[in-house]
Amino acid sequence: MKHVFALVIAFVISVPFRLQLSASEPDLDIRILPEKLVLDGLKTQHQLLLEKFADGSAVGMFLDNVEWLSQDPKVALVEAGMVVAVSDGATEVRAIHEGRMIARIPVNVSNSQRRFQYSFRNHVQAVLAKQGCNMGACHGALAGKGGFRLSLRGYDTERDFYNISQQHLGRRVDLAKPALSLLLTKPTLAVPHKGGLKLPADSKHYQVVSEWIADGAMAPSEDDPVLLSLSIFPDRVTVKKDQQQQFLIQAHYSDQRTEDVTQWARFNSSNEAVATVTSAGVAEVVGPGEGAVTAWFGSRIVTARITSPFQQSIDEEVFAKVDRSNFIDDLICDQLQQLNLAPSPMCSDEVFVRRVFLDTIGVLPTAEETGEFLADSAADKRVQLVDRLLQRSEFVDYWSYHWSDLLMLNGALLRPEAVKAYYEWIAERVEKNVPWDHFVREIVTAKGGSFENGATNFYALHQTPEDMAENVSQAFLGLSIGCAKCHNHPLEKWTNDQYYAFANLFSRVRAKGWGGDSRNGDGKRTLVTVSSGELIQPRTGKAQAPAALDQPAIGYADPTDRRQHLADWLVSKKNGLFARSITNRVWSKYMGVGLVEEVDDMRASNPASNEKLLAALSDYLTENDFNLKALMRQILISQAYQRSSQPLPQNKDDNRYYSRYYPRRLMAEVMLDAVSSVTAVSTTFNKIEFPGADIRDTDFYPAGTRAIQLYDSAVRSYFLKTFGRNQRRITCECERSDEPSMVQVLHLSNGDTINSKLAVKDNRLQQLLDAYPEDAVSLLEELFLSGLSRQPSQQEQAELSKLLNAAEGDQKRELLEDIAWGMMSSREFLFNH
């Protein structure tokens, strides 16, 4: 009976209270966060939040006339939401509003017989980081400041402890008179300090440092509790513009202890157009959209989502009537409804056929292909077209080119035969639709000759264990871990030790037969692995046991190729990082904007604009055994992909949430091929350009080769260079640019790309003139269909036909050249919309 009564009490305590605030505001659940509290040690403190919830989601703080009460002050005291441990036992903290209790939580206190002691590792280092003492602008600089050097953000705890407690005869810490320690007198300005006031004497930060010194300035120990994870409260909140939201951070340690570390955490906003955040963790909403607040503490990161609906009203019927093809549409529409954004209607067939051709295979549909699609009356003709395009040979060219960008196929870095072998290896796998996990595994574990197994050239481009590790992480996980090479990563959880453990997985990779630079000799090399060799961690002077990120270490004596262990973890269906990265890359290629932006910046502190959608897409990919075509098909058949790019008044300010299709300029190679397609004049590629203006002839690319079929980014092309071709010098999407420039405008107007193709005697314009000598209407229809995938408008047709019919002799050709030039220099042609 006693246990039954306890269960009833627990149930009652956990049930939130409902409060009717006003007629305009619905019933709300009022909850205290966190929803239970365990305090360990005398005078241990923990802040509480009183939060409003609607339909299970946090909707802002409850701030009106709240009184806090402890049911048993002998166990715990509470003032202004701050709970302080007094003695062992259990009690209840209650929030009182207008004389009645609106929320309550259980509080348990243990170990009150001992005063809680602050540790150097978990507390003093946190204070130094919070106050900026170990940042790059202060003592965390490479040379330190004023003869005092700390590791950046406290990544080297042992060295920092030595420098504070023992360097310069230990003058920075005075155990006999703690208040006279330079570690306290300098930042409090009791003695001059160029860094200014950092530790006000009445602050919690001062208390931490001073008590640590008074307790003997204990050194960091292997027995120190290890920080396992962080929690943030609330983890998701919907608030309106100009509202504020306080966030709490709770640390969870290996000794089962939880601690309020809000005051020591460093806060950042991932989208300051939506919300800003103070150093105390108070976010202020400044605009509509989805944002995130991230908190960093002890090389751990935690994120909370902030939703701020657009200040407009959209009838629920709008979303009820929206067509939905698959789970993509469900999740996007759910978010649009939450944000008060109206979805645009479906695009026309003319727009769709051009869009899907360019996005899927990188070529314009021919006039015949466009005409057939427009004439097709089948209800599922768009799905049928998608399925056909995914099987086209041009799909292989287009996506092989994308993966060549990612993998840095560059004749300035590799020998011509090696570049060709690498490209052919990629193209073969795209053609066979090899699952992405197999594709990546083959690269990571590649062995053999650089001409026979093109994948081995990945290791010719990245020849040190550090480079190999950084580029595997960047290419296949979307994580830039390079910052952790010198210190703990400032924006991620990866530590300096983890970096060298990861890089040590590649320490036994060797190459034989490398000789000369990339322009001389055949350059054939053979990739092998050896049974010994370790990468030394500079900070410790010892090898770091090899390990994948957040994974157990591999024994030094393990004879297995370490890259096999890496590949097993990397491409595992359990490794969400792997699936998220490639899913985001593919999504961005079709939708124009990645769910995570930048597309290869997949750190935890840079969350997706729609986390549920990214998770669902990643799950779909893994469930379909990393079949990229299956993922692409789901994207292409979705209503979200097929929406019009024309903004509505109710979504004109959206650029992240897919209420419409986002127009974007054609990538340089596709644009050049489109010009060649319209004019029926191919481009010649017969030069390779090396650094230092060294230009060599090449016969690798026969007449008729399209720009998207070039497997070497060193091929000389003024047009491609001007329009932002990926130079493939580093593994980063930032290598490709779609930024407009005056040089581009001038080249389209006066350059030799469009103009020289228009001037070719027997180009498509002449073919049209020969085919329709007296039929200006049909001539214009075919020209417009071939370039814009649509019929000319009535006005265009009437005015241009009149001009063509009035022209005689060479004038008609010149006029048609002007018409084609106008079309190919228009935004409608240069953009996919």
Side-chain angles (χ1 to χ4, degrees):
M1 188 67 184
K2 176 181 177 181
H3 296 299
V4 173
F5 182 72
L7 288 173
V8 172
I9 293 295
F11 173 76
V12 171
I13 289 176
S14 67
V15 174
F17 287 77
R18 301 191 69 83
L19 183 67
Q20 178 71 39
L21 297 180
S22 68
S24 62
E25 195 168 10
D27 285 352
L28 295 171
D29 294 335
I30 308 300
R31 304 181 191 176
I32 297 174
L33 299 179
E35 295 185 356
K36 64 179 180 178
L37 201 57
V38 178
L39 302 177
D40 188 335
L42 181 65
K43 295 186 178 180
T44 303
Q45 299 180 358
H46 202 299
Q47 183 68 48
L48 301 177
L49 280 181
L50 193 59
E51 194 76 15
K52 298 181 289 187
F53 281 75
D55 298 324
S57 298
V59 293
M61 296 185 293
F62 186 87
L63 301 172
D64 298 336
N65 301 320
V66 177
E67 180 184 2
W68 294 90
L69 294 177
S70 171
Q71 188 181 34
D72 188 349
K74 294 180 180 180
V75 174
L77 296 173
V78 59
E79 183 176 352
M82 178 67 76
V83 183
V84 182
V86 176
S87 64
D88 288 4
T91 185
E92 181 179 276
V93 169
R94 299 175 176 179
I96 308 299
H97 174 66
E98 295 182 350
R100 68 189 182 100
M101 180 175 61
I102 58 173
R104 58 186 178 182
I105 63 164
V107 176
N108 287 277
V109 177
S110 60
N111 296 318
S112 62
Q113 67 277 8
R114 63 168 176 80
R115 180 176 58 82
F116 175 73
Q117 290 187 308
Y118 296 106
S119 72
F120 183 80
R121 184 187 307 277
N122 293 322
H123 301 97
V124 176
Q125 287 283 62
V127 169
L128 296 176
K130 179 71 172 184
Q131 298 306 102
C133 304
N134 54 19
M135 295 297 105
C138 199
H139 298 290
L142 185 61
K145 291 284 185 182
F148 180 29
R149 181 176 180 271
L150 295 171
S151 61
L152 189 66
R153 291 202 177 205
Y155 76 90
D156 192 342
T157 301
E158 287 74 17
R159 174 58 61 181
D160 288 348
F161 174 78
Y162 174 84
N163 288 349
I164 288 173
S165 65
Q166 299 178 50
Q167 192 182 50
H168 295 307
L169 302 178
R171 58 194 287 266
R172 297 188 178 103
V173 170
D174 189 335
L175 297 181
K177 297 180 179 179
L180 298 182
S181 301
L182 282 178
L183 193 62
L184 293 173
T185 58
K186 283 262 189 179
T188 57
L189 294 183
V191 298
H193 180 226
K194 289 185 178 181
L197 180 64
K198 292 295 183 183
L199 289 180
D202 60 351
S203 69
K204 181 71 173 181
H205 301 305
Y206 181 91
Q207 178 188 344
V208 170
V209 180
S210 62
E211 288 192 11
W212 170 72
I213 297 174
D215 288 337
M218 298 299 294
S221 165
E222 292 183 358
D223 296 330
D224 289 340
V226 177
L227 176 63
L228 300 179
S229 63
L230 300 176
S231 295
I232 188 167
F233 303 98
D235 61 358
R236 186 175 187 97
V237 62
T238 299
V239 286
K240 297 177 181 178
K241 183 180 178 181
D242 298 328
Q243 283 187 286
Q244 292 185 335
Q245 174 65 53
Q246 171 72 61
F247 289 97
L248 297 182
I249 309 302
Q250 198 176 71
H252 305 274
Y253 293 94
S254 56
D255 61 355
Q256 308 302 311
R257 188 172 186 275
T258 61
E259 185 176 354
D260 181 356
V261 296
T262 305
Q263 58 201 323
W264 303 314
R266 292 180 66 88
F267 292 90
N268 284 290
S269 172
S270 68
N271 186 352
E272 294 198 341
V274 174
T276 60
V277 65
T278 69
S279 60
V282 179
E284 180 173 357
V285 176
V286 296
E290 284 264 4
V293 167
T294 59
W296 181 94
F297 174 81
S299 292
R300 293 288 186 270
I301 287 179
V302 67
T303 301
R305 306 286 298 183
I306 297 179
T307 300
S308 177
F310 284 74
Q311 295 181 336
Q312 57 191 12
S313 179
I314 308 296
D315 195 320
E316 290 187 4
E317 191 68 18
V318 171
F319 297 98
K321 292 181 177 179
V322 172
D323 290 332
R324 306 185 185 201
S325 297
N326 52 23
F327 67 93
I328 293 174
D329 296 320
D330 290 335
L331 292 171
I332 286 179
C333 283
D334 287 348
Q335 186 180 48
L336 294 179
Q337 187 167 10
Q338 187 178 25
L339 289 171
N340 290 337
L341 285 170
S344 289
M346 292 299 100
C347 66
S348 66
D349 282 346
E350 291 87 349
V351 168
F352 177 78
V353 68
R354 185 176 191 270
R355 177 190 298 177
V356 75
F357 263 77
L358 290 170
D359 280 342
T360 308
I361 63 175
V363 300
L364 288 170
T366 65
E368 292 76 15
E369 288 169 331
T370 299
E372 290 175 4
F373 178 77
L374 297 180
D376 191 346
S377 60
D380 64 343
K381 68 178 183 179
R382 293 192 180 190
V383 175
Q384 291 184 38
L385 177 58
V386 166
D387 290 336
R388 290 196 299 271
L389 291 176
L390 291 173
Q391 303 305 317
R392 291 270 292 257
S393 61
E394 296 94 333
F395 175 91
V396 177
D397 298 330
Y398 186 58
W399 284 94
S400 296
Y401 197 92
H402 280 309
W403 304 144
S404 297
D405 280 352
L406 179 67
L407 298 172
M408 292 173 51
L409 271 70
N410 186 338
L413 304 175
L414 291 173
R415 308 298 181 84
E417 290 295 339
V419 175
K420 184 177 181 181
Y422 203 177
Y423 178 83
E424 289 176 345
W425 181 90
I426 293 170
E428 181 182 5
R429 275 136 192 84
V430 175
E431 183 178 18
K432 293 179 178 178
N433 195 31
V434 171
W436 184 247
D437 58 334
H438 293 187
F439 182 101
V440 173
R441 179 184 288 274
E442 287 187 60
I443 292 175
V444 171
T445 62
K447 289 183 180 180
S450 57
F451 295 174
E452 292 78 17
N453 181 6
T456 63
N457 289 290
F458 179 87
Y459 293 98
L461 291 164
H462 316 296
Q463 296 183 24
T464 67
E466 295 94 331
D467 285 344
M468 296 172 192
E470 290 179 23
N471 284 281
V472 163
S473 177
Q474 187 71 75
F476 305 128
L477 298 175
L479 297 176
S480 176
I481 64 171
C483 288
K485 183 176 182 179
C486 300
H487 47 74
N488 290 355
H489 201 298
L491 300 175
E492 260 288 10
K493 66 178 184 177
W494 313 120
T495 66
N496 183 238
D497 287 342
Q498 283 182 299
Y499 175 93
Y500 280 96
F502 191 64
N504 205 17
L505 291 166
F506 300 94
S507 63
R508 298 179 178 180
V509 177
R510 301 287 188 272
K512 298 179 179 179
W514 178 261
D517 65 30
S518 64
R519 286 158 278 182
N520 300 298
D522 65 2
K524 186 175 181 179
R525 61 200 300 276
T526 301
L527 193 76
V528 299
T529 55
V530 296
S531 58
S532 63
E534 305 294 345
L535 178 66
I536 300 301
Q537 154 72 293
R539 180 175 60 83
T540 63
K542 301 177 182 179
Q544 197 75 34
L549 299 175
D550 277 346
Q551 299 301 303
I554 302 167
Y556 291 112
D558 190 328
T560 310
D561 182 351
R562 290 174 176 178
R563 298 175 305 157
Q564 294 287 352
H565 293 286
L566 168 63
D568 290 343
W569 164 77
L570 180 66
V571 306
S572 169
K573 290 184 177 182
K574 297 179 180 179
N575 182 3
L577 296 171
F578 180 70
R580 281 171 62 91
S581 176
I582 187 57
T583 297
N584 191 54
R585 286 188 189 277
V586 171
W587 176 268
S588 70
K589 296 299 183 187
Y590 284 109
M591 302 299 290
V593 176
L595 286 160
V596 174
E597 283 287 335
E598 297 291 330
V599 71
D600 46 12
D601 183 13
M602 300 293 291
R603 54 191 161 87
S605 54
N606 184 32
S609 60
N610 190 329
E611 279 288 342
K612 289 183 179 179
L613 177 57
L614 181 55
L617 288 164
S618 301
D619 289 344
Y620 180 86
L621 182 63
T622 55
E623 290 165 4
N624 284 271
D625 299 322
F626 294 99
N627 182 341
L628 294 186
K629 278 191 178 181
L631 175 65
M632 294 174 186
R633 185 178 187 275
Q634 287 299 310
I635 296 171
L636 291 169
I637 67 173
S638 71
Q639 300 296 307
Y641 175 78
Q642 297 180 34
R643 288 198 178 104
S644 170
S645 62
Q646 293 296 318
L648 301 174
Q650 298 89 351
N651 68 19
K652 60 183 175 60
D653 295 323
D654 168 31
N655 56 15
R656 287 295 309 272
Y657 310 109
Y658 312 103
S659 61
R660 52 191 169 86
Y661 183 88
Y662 306 122
R664 60 191 185 278
R665 204 199 68 196
L666 302 181
M667 60 186 279
E669 298 82 352
V670 172
M671 188 187 299
L672 180 55
D673 287 343
V675 172
S676 298
S677 173
V678 171
T679 59
V681 179
S682 62
T683 304
T684 300
F685 302 104
N686 57 10
K687 304 285 184 183
I688 303 293
E689 188 171 10
F690 296 97
D694 183 5
I695 300 171
R696 303 287 180 92
D697 292 333
T698 179
D699 58 1
F700 274 29
Y701 305 102
T705 299
R706 291 180 289 118
I708 207 69
Q709 294 175 314
L710 300 174
Y711 43 82
D712 182 358
S713 65
V715 172
R716 190 181 191 190
S717 170
Y718 181 80
F719 184 95
L720 297 181
K721 181 179 180 180
T722 299
F723 283 88
R725 169 177 59 182
N726 191 320
Q727 296 298 307
R728 301 178 183 172
R729 294 166 296 194
I730 58 174
T731 305
C732 181
E733 289 289 338
C734 59
E735 280 283 86
R736 180 175 294 280
S737 173
D738 61 0
E739 290 296 316
S741 69
M742 184 57 66
V743 175
Q744 295 170 2
V745 174
L746 293 174
H747 187 70
L748 289 174
S749 300
N750 307 318
D752 60 3
T753 299
I754 292 180
N755 291 322
S756 64
K757 292 180 185 295
L758 289 174
V760 172
K761 182 178 180 181
D762 58 348
N763 63 13
R764 183 183 297 277
L765 303 187
Q766 188 60 50
Q767 296 168 15
L768 291 174
L769 289 170
D770 293 342
Y772 307 105
E774 304 297 334
D775 188 356
V777 171
S778 296
L779 185 154
L780 289 170
E781 287 179 351
E782 186 159 345
L783 179 62
F784 272 67
L785 285 171
S786 65
L788 302 178
S789 302
R790 66 169 176 84
Q791 300 276 3
S793 67
Q794 290 185 353
Q795 182 181 3
E796 289 168 335
Q797 189 174 88
E799 294 182 3
L800 294 177
S801 295
K802 182 179 179 180
L803 291 173
L804 283 171
N805 289 330
E808 297 181 356
D810 293 340
Q811 289 182 339
K812 183 171 289 191
R813 168 66 187 249
E814 291 175 3
L815 177 59
L816 190 56
E817 288 180 8
D818 288 344
I819 294 171
W821 177 90
M823 180 181 72
M824 289 187 288
S825 60
S826 70
R827 285 184 294 177
E828 186 178 1
F829 179 84
L830 299 174
F831 280 73
N832 196 3
H833 52 85

